[in-house]
Amino acid sequence: MALDKGLDNVAVHWPRTNRFYDPVAPAEFVDFGAVADAPDIAAPTGALALHIAKTGTVRATAYTELVDLLLGLEGVLYATDAAAEDEDPVIDPDGCAWIAGGLERFVDGHQPYGDLVTFDSVADVMRAAVTGGRLAEQQLRWLDQRLAALRDEAGNAPHWSFARTELAVLSGFYRRCAERGFAVFADY
């Protein structure tokens, strides 16, 4: 897996009808452009929304660690499981719905913490979410291990800084794919 080249998640038609997946026309996402034009929108949110509106693609590299942590798997946006079983790195519409649902729950859960999403606020939201569960102690241990693994050798946390609205737009991309029966091709 070539993690250093960058990752694009490209909306494609599902299932493929020939040897290759056909990209979805950006017109399917044109309404995302309205987010970029909204007053007082965070610059990264506007940039992501505009890129989706113009290309039907998410530049996903910046979100991979966060999405993996939130969903509890590795390589989610790289479609690594799909690559192993199908030989194609594709997230099917059901997988898109699963990603969107996880991101939507996180965005909602982060609301009391404000609009700035950082490593510490992610940890707080996730701790609050698992504390009330049936296996809270086990899940908290798992979460602490995952958080510790993301720190560097000196114990420093990743320098995540996302707008909550940016993650809402990200989830909107996967939700749109799920609702319209599109898949996402991991191009890296």
Side-chain angles (χ1 to χ4, degrees), residues 30-51 53 169:
V30 73
D31 58 313
F32 279 66
V35 173
D37 295 333
D40 299 327
I41 196 74
T45 303
L48 175 61
L50 192 58
H51 185 73
V169 168

Side-chain angles (χ1 to χ4, degrees), residues 7 12 30 51 54 60 66 78 81 87 92 111 114 120 123 127-128 143 146 152 155 168 175 181 187:
L7 170 68
V12 294
V30 73
H51 185 73
K54 288 182 176 181
L66 174 63
Y78 284 93
D81 286 340
E87 297 180 20
D92 66 21
Q111 189 168 4
D120 292 332
R127 280 190 182 99
L143 177 58
R146 291 291 301 246
D152 66 16
R175 179 61 61 203
D187 186 20

Side-chain angles (χ1 to χ4, degrees), residues 9 32 48 52 58 60 62-72 76-77 91 95-111 117 122 125-126 160 162-176 184:
N9 275 190
F32 279 66
L48 175 61
I52 292 170
V58 166
Y63 308 106
T64 58
E65 282 184 338
L66 174 63
V67 170
D68 285 354
L69 176 63
L70 294 176
L71 299 178
V76 172
L77 299 182
I91 303 165
C96 289
W98 176 68
I99 292 169
L103 287 169
E104 289 161 353
R105 284 187 299 280
F106 173 76
V107 167
D108 289 345
H110 198 281
Q111 189 168 4
V117 176
V122 169
V125 170
M126 291 188 73
W160 293 342
F162 302 104
R164 194 172 67 85
T165 53
E166 179 182 1
L167 298 179
V169 168
L170 181 66
S171 69
F173 171 78
Y174 295 101
R175 179 61 61 203
R176 173 70 51 86
V184 170

